Amino acid sequence: MEPPTSSRLNSRKRRKDGVGPNGATELDGIPPKISRRSFGLREPAPFSDEVEIDYSKPYIRVTYEEALRGTPVDRPVRVYADGIFDLFHSGHARALMQAKNLFPNTYLIVGVCSDELTHNFKGFTVMNENERYDAVQHCRYVDEVVRNAPWTLTPEFLAEHRIDFVAHDDIPYSSAGSDDVYKHIKEAGMFAPTQRTEGISTSDIITRIVRDYDVYARRNLQRGYTAKELNVSFINEKKYHLQERVDKVKKRVKDVEEKSKEFVQKVEEKSIDLIQKWEEKSREFIGNFLEMFGPEGALKHMLKEGKGRMLQAISPKQSPSSSPTHDRSPSPSFRWPFSTKTPPSSPANRSRNESAVTYDISEDEED
């Protein structure tokens, strides 16, 4: 019977979008902080043929329940995980981390298939077997590495390495004429499922490189690789160099456009400031003009005051009533021709006219 998935499995998945630090998603939450100390090992994991096994002790498998409860320190649960591990990436590391954390006391053995098996059953690899062995050796979760691991696990292999459980994702792996190469492991109750990391795989990485082949070819040509090393033809090499020059020109044009946009933006800002200042000054000028020359401006009041002063200076001053009166010599009055009467006068001048008439009569009497 297949054992249930352990709650200790690290089920974090990394998606293509919305990925946080170290591939964590929003569902993972924020991990608790730990004290600063060294967790990494100082040496890579050894190969299986370099590890000495005590065959004097009998090989007795532990059950899934016993493994979950915990085993003695000198009897860890031996978990096996195998794979190609080409272009070793974070998805591989996460799978091995889950296998390492299946049980409280786990000894993780990782099998890496050789180039011959991989090329026959799966396809060509980017890294050769020695590079893949070395990459797995330096994963911090690995305790032991099996070189030239078998494609299908046999009972003899499981007994030789004293394996208790086999860790792999539970998706059926069809290969070598079988619908699932782990079917007999699952039937034996030795299968411990892990979860794949979404959005990252060796095939995805190769697809990215193939999709952007021209970009990476040009990149490596710039870094000093020759066309022969990159398996690039003479025509393609010249094409890449031409594209590189065109891209440089485009970049320069783009830089000039950005600088011109910044310049235009600065000019617009300055023009807006000048217009605002001009409006403020014009309003101030108009206000001052109206204050000086308007209907009720200061100039009108100044003219009124000047006119009043001029009239006051021109008009004769009346003597006060308390001052002594001076006798005036009578002035001859004007007579209308052929008439002894004086012309009509205003009421204000009647008193003066009466005195003038009296004066005229007195002169006739003397004559």
Side-chain angles (χ1 to χ4, degrees):
M1 181 178 179
E2 181 180 337
T5 304
S6 173
S7 60
R8 296 177 179 273
L9 291 179
N10 190 334
S11 61
R12 295 196 302 177
K13 294 183 178 181
R14 185 174 69 181
R15 293 174 289 184
K16 293 182 180 180
D17 301 331
V19 179
N22 299 324
T25 62
E26 295 179 357
L27 301 177
D28 298 330
I30 301 174
K33 293 186 177 181
I34 56 178
S35 59
R36 185 186 294 273
R37 62 180 186 273
S38 176
F39 287 93
L41 301 177
R42 296 180 181 273
E43 299 291 336
F47 292 114
S48 58
D49 52 5
E50 299 173 349
V51 178
E52 184 178 354
I53 300 177
D54 186 6
Y55 290 100
S56 61
K57 296 181 180 179
Y59 166 58
I60 302 175
R61 283 190 59 247
V62 296
T63 63
Y64 195 80
E65 290 74 14
E66 292 174 347
L68 285 178
R69 285 197 300 266
T71 57
V73 178
D74 58 347
R75 176 55 175 96
V77 180
R78 295 174 68 87
V79 177
Y80 178 80
D82 59 357
I84 309 301
F85 303 105
D86 190 21
L87 298 176
F88 192 88
H89 50 75
S90 62
H92 296 142
R94 287 177 179 276
L96 298 179
M97 179 181 66
Q98 293 180 54
K100 180 69 175 179
N101 290 279
L102 282 171
F103 309 107
N105 185 17
T106 303
Y107 185 85
L108 181 59
I109 306 169
V110 180
V112 182
C113 299
S114 64
D115 288 344
E116 182 180 359
L117 280 176
T118 305
H119 297 168
N120 290 335
F121 291 107
K122 191 170 184 178
F124 190 76
T125 58
V126 178
M127 301 169 65
N128 59 45
E129 57 185 24
N130 292 323
E131 293 171 338
R132 293 186 284 113
Y133 297 155
D134 188 65
V136 175
Q137 268 190 298
H138 289 82
C139 179
R140 62 185 297 181
Y141 310 111
V142 179
D143 297 306
E144 183 180 329
V145 176
V146 177
R147 291 179 287 192
N148 194 15
W151 197 261
T152 303
L153 301 179
T154 61
E156 294 77 15
F157 178 83
L158 297 175
E160 178 186 356
H161 294 278
R162 302 193 169 194
I163 296 170
D164 295 313
F165 297 97
V166 177
H168 199 274
D169 62 83
D170 55 359
I171 301 174
Y173 194 88
S174 59
S175 178
S178 174
D179 295 336
D180 188 3
V181 295
Y182 297 102
K183 183 178 180 180
H184 64 288
I185 302 294
K186 294 176 181 178
E187 292 174 352
M190 297 178 62
F191 189 79
T194 59
Q195 294 187 7
R196 293 178 63 89
T197 301
E198 296 181 0
I200 182 67
S201 67
T202 302
S203 300
D204 289 339
I205 295 174
I206 295 175
T207 301
R208 297 177 200 173
I209 297 173
V210 173
R211 181 187 58 197
D212 300 326
Y213 169 76
D214 290 345
V215 176
Y216 293 112
R218 291 167 52 189
R219 168 181 174 269
N220 284 1
L221 284 173
Q222 293 175 11
R223 295 192 174 188
Y225 287 88
T226 62
K228 185 177 181 180
E229 291 174 331
L230 298 174
N231 196 22
V232 174
S233 64
F234 176 80
I235 296 175
N236 286 336
E237 181 185 6
K238 298 304 177 184
K239 182 184 72 173
Y240 294 148
H241 286 305
L242 179 61
Q243 289 177 348
E244 184 65 25
R245 293 176 182 176
V246 171
D247 289 344
K248 287 182 179 179
V249 173
K250 288 182 179 179
K251 185 178 180 181
R252 290 178 182 176
V253 172
K254 187 177 180 180
D255 294 340
V256 171
E257 288 180 354
E258 291 179 354
K259 290 181 180 179
S260 62
K261 287 181 181 179
E262 293 178 358
F263 177 74
V264 171
Q265 186 177 1
K266 290 180 180 179
V267 171
E268 288 179 353
E269 292 176 356
K270 289 184 178 181
S271 62
I272 292 172
D273 293 339
L274 290 174
I275 290 172
Q276 290 178 351
K277 290 180 180 179
W278 182 83
E279 289 178 351
E280 293 175 359
K281 293 294 182 181
S282 62
R283 284 195 293 267
E284 183 180 354
F285 176 78
I286 292 172
N288 293 336
F289 183 83
L290 293 176
E291 185 178 354
M292 177 62 71
F293 301 102
E296 299 297 331
L299 183 62
K300 185 175 181 181
H301 291 291
M302 291 172 61
L303 292 174
K304 284 183 178 180
E305 292 179 359
K307 185 178 179 182
R309 291 177 181 176
M310 290 176 64
L311 293 174
Q312 185 177 3
I314 294 172
S315 61
K317 295 183 180 180
Q318 295 182 358
S319 59
S321 57
S322 59
S323 61
T325 59
H326 298 279
D327 296 333
R328 291 185 179 179
S329 60
S331 60
S333 63
F334 176 77
R335 293 184 180 182
W336 291 90
F338 309 105
S339 174
T340 58
K341 294 182 180 179
T342 58
S345 59
S346 61
N349 297 329
R350 282 180 183 174
S351 58
R352 296 180 181 178
N353 292 336
E354 289 176 357
S355 61
V357 169
T358 307
Y359 178 75
D360 294 340
I361 292 172
S362 61
E363 288 181 350
D364 292 340
E365 289 178 354
E366 290 178 358
D367 292 337

